[in-house]
Amino acid sequence: MSRPCPILTIDGPSGSGKGTISRALAQHLHWHLLDSGALYRLVALGGVRQGLDPEDRDGHARLAAHMEVHFGASDGAEHVALQGEDVTQAIRSEEAGQGASRVAAWPGVRAALLRRQRAFAEPPGLVADGRDMGTVVFPQADLKIFLTATAEERALRRHKQLKDKGSDVSLPALSREIAERDARDQTRQVAPLRPASDACVIDSTGLSVGDVVQRVLALGAARGMWAP
Ligand code: DC
């Protein structure tokens, strides 16, 4: 059972900068970090590795409930292991992202991941990064941020990220994939991507990571979550 602690949720579409901002905030606050997208990516990847039928919803839900996952850090870098195997790189591929978006539309998978996600809430606090952190997983969160950016800017950011990693994906293809993924995440029946009614919406188009972090820190300080 997780213990009560302050919770900051950061939701938003792919490429809105949630991952970078959440990581920076968790480091600054010395809080735990939940990268919930990584859990959906692990279910998709685990399904492929186990040879599950891509449409086998029950099989994927069982995998979500029972897969052995480890998040750790060594040499200053984060590592993710699935069934004891390092999959840090493998879960970041576009293919794993697309697979994650597909399995994330299945209620059984989402239900199986709920308890896992809530277990990350441990003192001194949690920064939870995802799509439904403020709406479904942590509706009681102390501060909810919904981070957006224009689709063009998100495609450009993702393109630069992939290029820096040596992948050569065309910008138009990426823009199309982002638009497809947005549409699927926003229109699915369970936990669709949308801001919680009490979320603070921040449009990060044209803002630096530092600008966004400062805005979130100011919002939390105004609520007494930490010192200004
Ligand atoms: O943030 P990401 O790109 O790693 O997420 C991968 C996919 O997982 C994304 O397309 C939607 C899904 N997802 C979700 O449905 N709910 C979450 N809380 C996190 C991710």
Side-chain angles (χ1 to χ4, degrees), residues 52 79 104 119 122 155 173 201:
L52 286 184
H79 290 279
E122 284 281 332
V201 179

Side-chain angles (χ1 to χ4, degrees), residues 39-124:
L39 289 173
Y40 288 94
R41 287 169 181 266
L42 284 162
V43 174
L45 184 72
V48 171
R49 299 227 162 148
Q50 283 191 6
L52 286 184
D53 181 325
E55 290 308 318
D56 180 355
R57 296 182 178 214
D58 290 344
H60 283 86
R62 275 195 297 277
L63 186 62
H66 301 297
M67 65 187 177
E68 190 196 314
V69 169
H70 180 73
F71 291 91
S74 67
D75 307 330
E78 289 165 24
H79 290 279
V80 186
L82 175 63
Q83 311 293 132
E85 188 192 336
D86 190 317
V87 292
T88 315
Q89 301 290 330
I91 58 163
R92 294 295 152 209
S93 69
E94 280 304 299
E95 194 191 350
Q98 291 293 332
S101 171
R102 221 168 33 78
V103 301
W106 297 339
V109 169
R110 301 202 75 86
L113 289 183
L114 254 191
R115 201 161 17 148
R116 274 184 189 260
Q117 296 177 89
R118 289 182 175 152
F120 279 78
E122 284 281 332

Side-chain angles (χ1 to χ4, degrees), residues 25-217:
L25 285 162
Q27 255 169 24
H28 178 87
L29 297 166
H30 301 287
W31 283 13
H32 299 284
L33 175 69
L34 164 61
D35 173 1
S36 61
L39 289 173
Y40 288 94
R41 287 169 181 266
L42 284 162
V43 174
L45 184 72
V48 171
R49 299 227 162 148
Q50 283 191 6
L52 286 184
D53 181 325
E55 290 308 318
D56 180 355
R57 296 182 178 214
D58 290 344
H60 283 86
R62 275 195 297 277
L63 186 62
H66 301 297
M67 65 187 177
E68 190 196 314
V69 169
H70 180 73
F71 291 91
S74 67
D75 307 330
E78 289 165 24
H79 290 279
V80 186
L82 175 63
Q83 311 293 132
E85 188 192 336
D86 190 317
V87 292
T88 315
Q89 301 290 330
I91 58 163
R92 294 295 152 209
S93 69
E94 280 304 299
E95 194 191 350
Q98 291 293 332
S101 171
R102 221 168 33 78
V103 301
W106 297 339
V109 169
R110 301 202 75 86
L113 289 183
L114 254 191
R115 201 161 17 148
R116 274 184 189 260
Q117 296 177 89
R118 289 182 175 152
F120 279 78
E122 284 281 332
L126 177 69
V127 179
D129 157 6
R131 303 292 194 290
D132 62 340
M133 298 295 100
T135 49
V136 176
V137 183
F138 300 111
Q140 81 287 16
D142 302 270
L143 175 59
K144 302 177 184 180
I145 304 293
F146 193 84
L147 201 58
T148 61
T150 58
E152 292 78 16
E153 171 125 350
R154 290 186 285 124
L156 277 171
R157 286 180 190 166
R158 194 48 75 92
H159 188 243
K160 180 172 180 310
Q161 238 174 27
L162 291 171
K163 236 171 119 180
D164 289 348
K165 282 193 222 151
S167 295
D168 189 21
V169 183
S170 86
L171 187 57
L174 257 184
S175 303
R176 229 175 11 249
E177 273 169 27
I178 284 190
E180 271 171 28
R181 190 161 356 152
D182 279 357
R184 196 160 41 211
D185 292 345
Q186 283 161 4
T187 57
R188 67 176 175 229
Q189 298 213 323
V190 260
L193 172 66
R194 61 175 174 79
S197 56
D198 51 351
C200 304
V201 179
I202 299 180
D203 183 345
S204 73
T205 311
L207 295 182
S208 70
V209 171
D211 292 338
V212 178
V213 167
Q214 287 310 317
R215 282 193 195 192
V216 177
L217 288 175

